[in-house]
Amino acid sequence: MKVPEKYYDEVFDFKGQWDVPSKCGLKLLTYNGKIHIIVTELYQDNPGTSVTYAGYSLLRQICESRGFSEKEVVYLECNPDTNSKLSFYDEEVFRVSFPEINGEKGRPDYRQLSSDEIKSLFS
């Protein structure tokens, strides 16, 4: 189950939970005047924490490595289409908002993007 390279421009190494070495696909886009960070789950090519479980820590690591402010980016998580018969591996992209960016506590807010929104990002 290989992730198609259309979903990412590079593999980003990050510290996952308990500092376990982890990897995700990374694509940076400027869209509607904002920087969009798209992290893609790599499944078997990721030896550590999934992008969903890394969450805000992964966003912080990407922003630090690229010199972005957390408040100036749009963070998206991608579960890529791997052409599997299992619906679990169908393409899904979520816009994630983290309360920590505003100094608050709580759970992240996930909004699933429509098919048209996904097409505009990856075309």
Side-chain angles (χ1 to χ4, degrees):
M1 177 175 49
K2 194 78 173 151
V3 174
E5 290 185 9
K6 77 172 190 169
Y7 288 103
Y8 59 95
D9 294 327
E10 67 181 275
V11 173
F12 184 79
D13 295 299
F14 65 96
K15 289 182 182 180
Q17 291 178 324
W18 305 287
D19 289 336
V20 171
S22 305
K23 296 177 182 291
C24 69
L26 179 63
K27 183 182 278 280
L28 302 174
L29 300 173
T30 301
Y31 184 76
N32 288 339
K34 292 208 70 138
I35 298 166
H36 285 60
I37 295 173
I38 305 170
V39 294
T40 298
E41 184 58 62
L42 295 179
Y43 301 117
Q44 79 272 10
D45 291 330
N46 176 12
T49 305
S50 74
V51 297
T52 300
Y53 288 116
Y56 181 62
S57 172
L58 177 54
L59 170 62
R60 280 193 348 254
Q61 291 175 64
I62 293 169
C63 285
E64 185 177 299
S65 74
R66 297 301 198 267
F68 300 146
S69 164
E70 297 167 8
K71 292 184 178 189
E72 70 182 358
V73 302
V74 174
Y75 183 80
L76 303 167
E77 286 184 8
C78 176
N79 297 318
D81 181 6
T82 58
N83 297 314
S84 172
K85 292 180 182 179
L86 301 173
S87 63
F88 176 80
Y89 296 111
D90 287 348
E91 180 181 69
E92 295 178 324
V93 179
F94 296 88
R95 181 178 179 156
V96 186
S97 300
F98 297 100
E100 293 92 338
I101 292 173
N102 298 315
E104 300 170 5
K105 294 191 181 229
R107 294 187 174 160
D109 179 53
Y110 286 80
R111 182 183 71 80
Q112 187 169 1
L113 273 60
S114 69
S115 296
D116 288 339
E117 289 173 306
I118 293 170
K119 284 177 191 172
S120 69
L121 289 171
F122 292 111
S123 58

